[in-house]
Amino acid sequence: MSKIDAAGTHKLGNRTVKRLGYGAMQLAGPGVFGPPKDHTAALAVLREALAQGVDHIDTSDFYGPHVTNQLIREALHPYSDDLTIVTKIGARRGADKSWIPAYEPAELTAAVHDNLRNLGLDALDVVNLRIMFDTHGPAEGSIEAPLAVLAELQRQGLVRHIGLSNVTPAQIAEGRRMVEIVCVQNQYNLAHRGDDALIDDLARDGIAYVPFFPLGGFSPLQSSTLNDVATRLGATPMQVALAWLLRRSPNILLIPGTASVAHLRENLAVADLVLPDDALAELDAIGAK
């Protein structure tokens, strides 16, 4: 057993993964663009993640672009049977580091093949369709056309399971009428609580919820309450924020990212961090303010 087993497991399609995973986005260069500052260190982080028991890695071929997938292949291929690699499509990168929607059938098909090639896989475990109708968050609109393309790639055997990212409840319902949706990946953290009801609805149906920016993303969480609780528990504020997410709902899978082995170990140590009820009540109140 590894230390992170204490955080439990959850279903992800036909796989069962540990609730503490790893997000590879930060392995790319500044702005998630270009190569890492330290190539050797990036490989070390990936190998240490598996050494610590991680069996769920989140990535995308538009990180870099291509950089994180190529690093994952270099560090970990051939992959162990229990490793689940989740990727995403629906965007491409501009030369100016911009994030550009890429929903045309040819773009989506090419993205799946890029992920397969750069990861060195014959089929992708899970592919999230990233919806980018609004760059600032989920926005309503039909996802039928791009999801139909992904569903066809699934029928061809190139994709095993399908998830959705940056979506509204209405889009999830639309998607579930078309295909089985095994996970939803939206922004959610201690301070950004817009998906509270959605998380509970998905939990009832056994669908995994994977919060991106669990620590605030490009604007790290800032809270005197969080700092006070962390001091009392002898933990860092970020560890407490991750522990709160684990406690929030059993269907939440965490994929905190880092380019540092020390920070990776710090993130994974939250499996053993117990939040007393009084601390939990204080933290719950942060999102209500």
Side-chain angles (χ1 to χ4, degrees), residues 225 229 232-233 240 244 274-284:
T225 300
V229 170
R232 294 204 312 268
L233 297 179
V240 171
W244 179 85
V274 177
L275 296 180
D277 288 342
D278 60 337
L280 191 65
E282 290 179 67
L283 295 168
D284 285 346

Side-chain angles (χ1 to χ4, degrees), residues 128-273:
N128 286 318
L129 176 62
R130 168 82 176 185
I131 302 303
M132 295 182 60
F133 296 156
D134 186 332
T135 56
H136 301 293
E140 295 295 356
S142 175
I143 63 171
E144 180 179 0
L147 187 56
V149 176
L150 187 51
E152 174 57 30
L153 293 165
Q154 183 182 43
R155 283 189 287 273
Q156 293 174 19
L158 300 179
V159 174
R160 294 193 177 98
H161 300 287
I162 293 174
L164 297 172
S165 178
N166 202 42
V167 283
T168 67
Q171 289 164 339
I172 296 168
E174 180 183 30
R176 292 183 69 189
R177 289 191 292 270
M178 296 176 61
V179 296
E180 180 188 7
I181 300 298
V182 302
C183 59
V184 171
Q185 192 176 98
N186 277 3
Q187 182 178 0
Y188 183 84
N189 56 50
L190 192 56
H192 192 284
R193 302 273 299 277
D195 273 359
D196 269 336
L198 174 61
I199 289 171
D200 295 336
D201 288 343
L202 295 175
R204 283 190 284 272
D205 290 337
I207 298 173
Y209 184 92
V210 188
F212 64 76
F213 295 159
L215 300 176
F218 300 114
S219 301
L221 297 174
Q222 301 289 334
S223 165
S224 57
T225 300
L226 177 60
N227 293 340
D228 291 345
V229 170
T231 299
R232 294 204 312 268
L233 297 179
T236 70
M238 297 302 99
Q239 285 178 317
V240 171
L242 290 174
W244 179 85
L245 284 167
L246 286 174
R247 181 81 179 264
R248 169 62 184 82
S249 181
N251 67 322
I252 288 181
L253 302 178
L254 294 187
I255 50 167
T258 178
S260 156
V261 167
H263 190 210
L264 171 73
R265 291 172 179 160
E266 182 180 292
N267 287 340
L268 297 180
V270 304
D272 295 322
L273 181 58

Side-chain angles (χ1 to χ4, degrees), residues 84-98:
T84 299
I85 299 177
V86 179
T87 188
K88 65 185 69 65
I89 61 174
R92 59 183 176 86
R93 303 301 299 279
D96 59 352
K97 303 184 182 181
S98 58

Side-chain angles (χ1 to χ4, degrees), residues 26-190:
Q26 292 187 33
L27 292 182
V32 200
F33 200 82
K37 180 174 62 177
D38 187 330
H39 186 93
T40 301
L43 299 178
V45 169
L46 287 162
R47 290 168 179 150
E48 179 64 16
L50 265 62
Q52 292 283 328
V54 166
D55 61 6
H56 169 208
I57 292 178
D58 181 86
T59 184
S60 174
D61 215 54
F62 55 69
Y63 294 163
H66 316 305
V67 170
T68 61
N69 281 354
Q70 291 170 355
L71 288 167
I72 289 168
R73 181 175 185 172
E74 182 179 352
L76 306 177
H77 196 276
Y79 307 114
S80 60
D81 290 340
D82 62 351
L83 177 62
T84 299
I85 299 177
V86 179
T87 188
K88 65 185 69 65
I89 61 174
R92 59 183 176 86
R93 303 301 299 279
D96 59 352
K97 303 184 182 181
S98 58
W99 303 78
I100 304 167
Y103 295 134
E104 292 300 315
E107 292 177 308
L108 294 167
T109 301
V112 164
H113 284 281
D114 285 345
N115 278 281
L116 288 167
R117 182 178 60 256
N118 285 311
L119 286 167
L121 290 169
D122 296 323
L124 300 170
D125 291 326
V126 183
V127 175
N128 286 318
L129 176 62
R130 168 82 176 185
I131 302 303
M132 295 182 60
F133 296 156
D134 186 332
T135 56
H136 301 293
E140 295 295 356
S142 175
I143 63 171
E144 180 179 0
L147 187 56
V149 176
L150 187 51
E152 174 57 30
L153 293 165
Q154 183 182 43
R155 283 189 287 273
Q156 293 174 19
L158 300 179
V159 174
R160 294 193 177 98
H161 300 287
I162 293 174
L164 297 172
S165 178
N166 202 42
V167 283
T168 67
Q171 289 164 339
I172 296 168
E174 180 183 30
R176 292 183 69 189
R177 289 191 292 270
M178 296 176 61
V179 296
E180 180 188 7
I181 300 298
V182 302
C183 59
V184 171
Q185 192 176 98
N186 277 3
Q187 182 178 0
Y188 183 84
N189 56 50
L190 192 56

